[in-house]
Amino acid sequence: MKTFESTIRPVKGDIIDDPGFDARFHNGYEVVKVTINYETNECYVSLHPLASNLEEICINDYIDKLAANEWRIVSKEELLTY
């Protein structure tokens, strides 16, 4: 999960780019769901599940790269609260 402020509202089918993503591990980051919470002024964007069909680097190296770019691992319980 990564949190940031933006004036752009993604829509299903958009491709998200981020410095934490690595083309050597995954083939794209397509938006599959957008949930807007007007009460909290938040927009949650769900990406296509990770499919490691281009696994040219170790998953642990990839997770380290994501973490270095402000992505974080969340628990299943935390995901259910969104």
Side-chain angles (χ1 to χ4, degrees):
M1 177 179 280
K2 184 173 183 176
T3 304
F4 56 92
E5 291 192 28
S6 174
T7 58
I8 298 171
R9 181 193 177 275
V11 295
K12 185 175 179 179
D14 283 352
I15 302 296
I16 303 295
D17 191 16
D18 186 273
F21 298 159
D22 193 313
R24 295 175 298 161
F25 193 84
H26 193 256
N27 61 348
Y29 299 86
E30 181 180 352
V31 174
V32 294
K33 180 180 174 185
V34 178
T35 304
I36 298 171
N37 184 326
Y38 289 107
E39 184 177 346
T40 60
N41 198 31
E42 295 176 316
C43 176
Y44 298 95
V45 179
S46 299
L47 303 180
H48 194 277
L50 187 65
S52 57
N53 57 341
L54 294 177
E55 191 175 340
E56 296 175 12
I57 62 172
C58 170
I59 182 69
N60 292 329
D61 292 342
Y62 188 54
I63 290 171
D64 290 344
K65 181 176 181 179
L66 288 169
N69 284 278
E70 301 178 16
W71 286 85
R72 64 185 182 89
I73 296 173
V74 294
S75 67
K76 182 177 180 180
E77 291 78 21
E78 186 177 358
L79 284 175
L80 294 175
T81 65
Y82 292 109

